[in-house]
Amino acid sequence: MERPVTLNINGRSHTVQVEPRALLVHVLRDTLNLTGTHVGCDTSQCGACTVLVDGQAVKSCTTLAVQAEGTRITTIEGLARGDTLHPLQMAFWEKHGLQCGFCTPGMILTAVDFLAQNPDPTDDEIRHAIEGNLCRCTGYQNIVAAIKSAAATLRAGNAGAAA
Amino acid sequence: MIPTSFDYVRAGSVREALGLLALGDGTKVIAGGHSLLPMMRFRLVQAPKLVDISRLEELRGVQEYKKGLRIGATTTYAELARHPLVRERCPVIAEVAADIADIQVRNRGTIGGSLAHADPASDMPAVMMALDAEFQLRSKKGGRRTARAREFFKGAFVTDMTEEELFTDILVPGMGRNAAVYVSFDSAASGYALAGVCASIGRKRATISDISVAVTGVAEVVFLAGALERMKDTKCDAAVLAAAAKEAVAGLEIAGDVHAPSSYRRHIAEVAIIRAVERAYQRAGA
């Protein structure tokens, strides 16, 4: 039985009619047309569907939309500030952290959560952090470089803000 | 795939959740959903109704309990991994939590949900058995009940819980002189343990005064390896340990599958036992 659910996505409130069994990823893509969130494996493995729920990276294919009511959801569409890309988006561009781009939204959103917890990670820590995000093109090397570069940019930005 | 249709209720209180479970209509509990939702999506599980307990504050968080810990059932792995009290009092729980699956799963997956789910390859049941933890369960008719971890796991995905019961808390005793270490060999594909071993060891100088070793991932159900008790009153002699580890898995029926044949699983289980015991022994002496 469908019911109204209000979701706060990228700072905007959306009320949608959903069944309790509707997965968050399907509501994002099919109901709200936010197709930057991808479905890769559909079995909670690949991380392409990763979004932020209250700042935490979450697999939206393993979350019911009804469970997300009252939370703040951020998808890849909500990361840039107007025309200014998020430092992670810039770094993936500059370091060639993508080829086909399918895994990129999930990679970036996982990295947002990770860098909030660990602002100055080693390469090894970055590799562990993206354990739940599969990339079939790059061999991960440039993704690690991109996250490391973004970490430096974010640290510099925070230092600037604190000064 | 998407799950079969179900009704959903976000519980406003534990009492409300217990009332719904007491109806006995097949209602299932959801918190993080990282065990339940994948199974519902494969349609291995169907439920007419889900009661969501994830926002009940009284089921969440970590407190001091005697010299140990009280851990709320809906505390996530991410919370356990960075919790100062867990890291201080019982570091093995924080270490295991930090290594489960990936960031996204740790953000949602809850310790109580995983224990109640009782996957025979999950890590935390072995830790709870080695530490001799207790689980608190509640139901509308039966009130509160405490179940010892060592008597809780009955088989693959089968526990001592009834369908009307809610898993509310975990009580972990103080470590005393003991130190614990968990060692696992994981399937590269699933991340689940092919063999996982938690050893908890107490020492008096160089001599082992207390030892508990639990093994997951290998058999139909997590188990306490009694053979390792012969390490007591020894100085962790390598030959005795190797023999005890062999004996611990000798009589087991171990199923092979696409990830590893039976003989390989038996071998790595022995290796995991030896490494966990050696490292717990070192840590207890540090």
Side-chain angles (χ1 to χ4, degrees):
Chain A
M1 184 91 86
E2 288 195 345
R3 62 176 72 192
V5 170
T6 301
L7 298 172
N8 183 316
I9 302 165
N10 301 328
R12 280 188 54 196
S13 181
H14 302 263
T15 299
V16 291
Q17 288 286 330
V18 298
E19 283 190 70
R21 64 173 167 167
L23 300 165
L24 180 58
V25 69
H26 292 142
V27 173
L28 292 171
R29 288 179 56 84
D30 302 341
T31 310
L32 297 168
N33 211 25
L34 291 166
T35 53
T37 303
H38 293 163
V39 177
C41 66
D42 219 19
T43 53
S44 328
Q45 304 281 333
C46 80
C49 66
T50 300
V51 300
L52 299 179
V53 174
D54 289 334
Q56 294 193 322
V58 160
K59 290 177 183 173
S60 63
C61 79
T62 313
T63 305
L64 300 172
V66 287
Q67 287 182 291
E69 191 166 35
T71 63
R72 286 173 300 107
I73 299 163
T74 305
T75 69
I76 193 69
E77 289 92 343
L79 215 49
R81 291 281 162 267
D83 290 336
T84 309
L85 292 179
H86 185 280
L88 270 158
Q89 292 172 306
M90 277 306 291
F92 270 69
W93 182 358
E94 286 170 355
K95 298 290 178 186
H96 308 286
L98 60 139
Q99 287 180 29
C100 84
F102 196 85
C103 71
T104 312
M107 283 284 180
I108 287 179
L109 290 164
T110 300
V112 170
D113 181 0
F114 170 60
L115 293 180
Q117 305 283 335
N118 185 350
D120 191 7
T122 63
D123 283 12
D124 196 43
E125 288 168 339
I126 293 170
R127 287 177 187 280
H128 278 289
I130 56 173
E131 202 173 350
N133 296 80
L134 301 183
C135 171
R136 301 288 76 158
C137 307
T138 64
Y140 300 96
Q141 208 66 31
N142 290 350
I143 294 174
V144 174
I147 294 173
K148 195 156 191 171
S149 163
T153 308
L154 285 163
R155 285 198 307 277
N158 288 340
Chain B
M1 284 216 308
I2 58 171
T4 52
S5 203
F6 55 82
D7 193 14
Y8 169 89
V9 180
R10 186 180 299 131
S13 66
V14 169
R15 182 185 294 267
E16 184 188 353
L18 296 179
L20 289 168
L21 291 173
L23 297 177
D25 60 357
T27 294
K28 292 248 173 216
V29 173
I30 187 168
H34 273 52
S35 300
L36 183 61
L37 288 178
M39 293 189 87
M40 291 185 74
R41 297 191 62 190
F42 283 125
R43 304 207 173 181
L44 294 169
V45 173
Q46 303 184 359
K49 190 186 292 169
L50 296 187
V51 51
D52 187 347
I53 59 165
S54 62
R55 297 195 191 177
L56 299 179
E57 282 304 317
E58 62 188 290
L59 294 181
R60 191 171 200 130
V62 180
Q63 286 118 33
E64 291 188 302
Y65 173 75
K66 297 183 181 167
K67 289 182 175 170
L69 302 169
R70 172 189 288 274
I71 302 172
T74 64
T75 310
T76 64
Y77 291 124
E79 288 163 346
L80 289 171
R82 55 179 172 244
H83 201 288
L85 198 59
V86 178
R87 292 165 72 131
E88 178 203 319
R89 293 252 170 125
C90 199
V92 70
I93 293 178
E95 290 160 10
V96 169
D99 205 37
I100 285 172
D102 49 57
I103 287 180
Q104 297 96 312
V105 172
R106 293 193 293 272
N107 280 339
R108 297 289 286 182
T110 69
I111 184 169
S114 159
L115 292 170
H117 182 60
D119 188 308
S122 76
D123 304 300
M124 223 38 113
V127 178
M128 294 296 129
M129 289 198 36
L131 301 183
D132 202 8
E134 291 180 326
F135 305 149
Q136 293 201 310
L137 313 170
R138 272 178 78 178
S139 65
K140 187 177 174 185
K141 288 171 204 150
R144 289 168 204 268
R145 169 167 90 88
T146 302
R148 206 175 165 198
R150 291 179 180 179
E151 289 149 15
F152 183 75
F153 301 100
K154 301 295 186 192
F157 307 104
V158 180
T159 70
D160 182 37
M161 279 174 81
T162 68
E163 293 213 327
E164 294 185 15
E165 283 181 315
L166 183 68
F167 193 122
T168 61
D169 297 277
I170 298 149
L171 302 176
V172 185
M175 296 293 292
R177 305 167 73 97
N178 282 37
V181 170
Y182 182 76
V183 171
S184 72
F185 291 95
D186 299 337
S187 156
S190 73
Y192 275 90
L194 291 171
V197 176
C198 186
S200 174
I201 288 179
R203 276 171 67 156
K204 284 186 181 138
R205 296 181 186 275
T207 305
I208 293 177
S209 56
D210 182 56
I211 179 165
S212 296
V213 177
V215 182
T216 186
V218 183
E220 172 83 4
V221 62
V222 58
F223 67 98
L224 210 57
L228 273 298
E229 274 168 32
R230 84 157 76 129
M231 299 299 295
K232 211 172 155 185
D233 300 323
T234 72
K235 294 180 178 172
C236 206
D237 177 77
V240 181
L241 176 54
K246 201 173 211 50
E247 188 188 320
V249 293
L252 286 183
E253 201 169 296
I254 299 176
D257 62 18
V258 64
H259 301 296
S262 165
S263 58
Y264 178 71
R265 282 174 191 265
R266 196 180 303 276
H267 172 69
I268 58 171
E270 281 179 42
V271 175
I273 289 171
I274 290 168
R275 289 187 188 169
V277 168
E278 282 176 349
R279 289 180 199 168
Y281 179 78
Q282 294 298 331
R283 185 178 256 190

